[in-house]
Amino acid sequence: PLGRLAPLALLWCATIASAALLLPVGTLVWWIVTGSSAAWQPAALAATAWSTIAVAAAGAALTTLLALPVGVIAARYRSRASRLLEQASYAAHALPGITVALAFVFLSVRYARPLYQEYPLLVIAYAALFLPLAVTGVRTAVQQSPAVLEDVARSLGHGPLSVLRRVTLPLAAPGVAAGAALTFVVIMKELPLTLLLRPSGMDTLATRLWTHTENQAHAAAAPYALALILIAAVPAHLLGRHRS
């Protein structure tokens, strides 16, 4: 109980929320309404939003799929090898996005030319960069599920893969989904890697936002920024519900 300090605490929380959400959104709306460069096309905005959702969903799906074995092993089979495997998955996330992007550019141009600036390479690069986010979600979700239920399933004659499919993954599904949602949000706003590896003619909300702001066309950039916030609000809401 805060007593007389409760109004001050509520005021402080409201101030933080206003600075983090109301002020940016209000500024974007003001630019859209009053800006002279707000000659944006709804069709182009919708196409860009769809491209962003598609590539972010594909990247989050692949990242989560690759994170499943690493997260399960890290949570259930603690050993020196499993710790090394988990730590190795964090390596790319310790690097700036531009560094990872340049590495994939070199790899594709030198050894896999057909993949250069193609959709699959972009999705793979997202998975390499943001794998730790999904691994952390999977490992935490598996650790929170009772291991004794897996032991019971094994005692009833189920093999490791059957236990994983019928017990471990269903129990950990909410946490795995939360990790996938977080990965989706982070991929949507990734800029350096997307700029270097995106297919020719493909734009995301982040790249369109960057292009317009580089040209000082803030009002033209505002709809893309607002769309990015609105789309990210959906998985962010799901993340909040999962944590509560």
Side-chain angles (χ1 to χ4, degrees):
L2 297 177
R4 294 180 179 180
L5 295 178
L8 293 177
L10 293 175
L11 179 62
W12 174 252
C13 293
T15 302
I16 296 297
S18 299
L21 182 60
L22 296 182
L23 180 61
V25 172
T27 303
L28 292 175
V29 172
W30 183 84
W31 273 114
I32 293 174
V33 173
T34 64
S36 59
S37 59
W40 56 280
Q41 299 177 352
L45 176 61
T48 304
W50 174 249
S51 297
T52 304
I53 294 173
V55 72
L62 178 61
T63 306
T64 304
L65 182 63
L66 296 176
L68 282 175
V70 180
V72 172
I73 291 173
R76 286 291 186 257
Y77 305 98
R78 300 303 297 172
S79 65
R80 184 176 181 180
S82 66
R83 287 193 295 270
L84 181 62
L85 176 64
E86 183 183 8
Q87 292 170 2
S89 69
Y90 297 149
H93 199 55
L95 299 172
I98 186 67
T99 305
V100 178
L102 290 174
F104 272 92
V105 168
F106 172 80
L107 177 67
S108 59
V109 171
R110 189 72 179 270
Y111 302 106
R113 183 68 182 183
L115 290 178
Y116 178 60
Q117 288 189 326
E118 293 294 336
Y119 189 85
L121 183 66
L122 178 61
V123 174
I124 293 171
Y126 284 144
L129 183 60
F130 299 117
L131 182 63
L133 297 178
V135 168
T136 301
V138 173
R139 184 196 64 192
T140 303
V142 173
Q143 286 178 335
Q144 290 177 347
S145 60
V148 65
L149 298 180
E150 299 173 10
D151 297 333
V152 171
R154 292 292 298 272
S155 70
L156 295 175
H158 293 281
L161 292 181
S162 178
V163 172
L164 178 66
R165 178 176 59 87
R166 303 183 65 176
V167 179
T168 306
L169 291 183
L171 290 174
V176 173
L182 178 60
T183 306
F184 175 85
V185 171
V186 175
I187 289 176
M188 279 204 313
K189 63 185 183 67
E190 169 60 26
L191 181 60
L193 191 147
T194 307
L195 283 174
L196 291 181
L197 297 178
R198 60 179 173 157
S200 299
M202 173 190 169
D203 278 311
T204 65
L205 294 172
T207 60
R208 281 292 184 96
L209 177 61
W210 176 81
T211 300
H212 288 304
T213 52
E214 279 291 296
N215 297 326
Q216 302 298 317
H218 300 296
Y224 297 95
L226 187 59
L228 191 61
I229 292 174
L230 294 177
I231 296 173
V234 177
H237 174 67
L238 296 177
L239 280 170
R241 290 187 61 185
H242 171 70
R243 289 182 178 180
S244 61

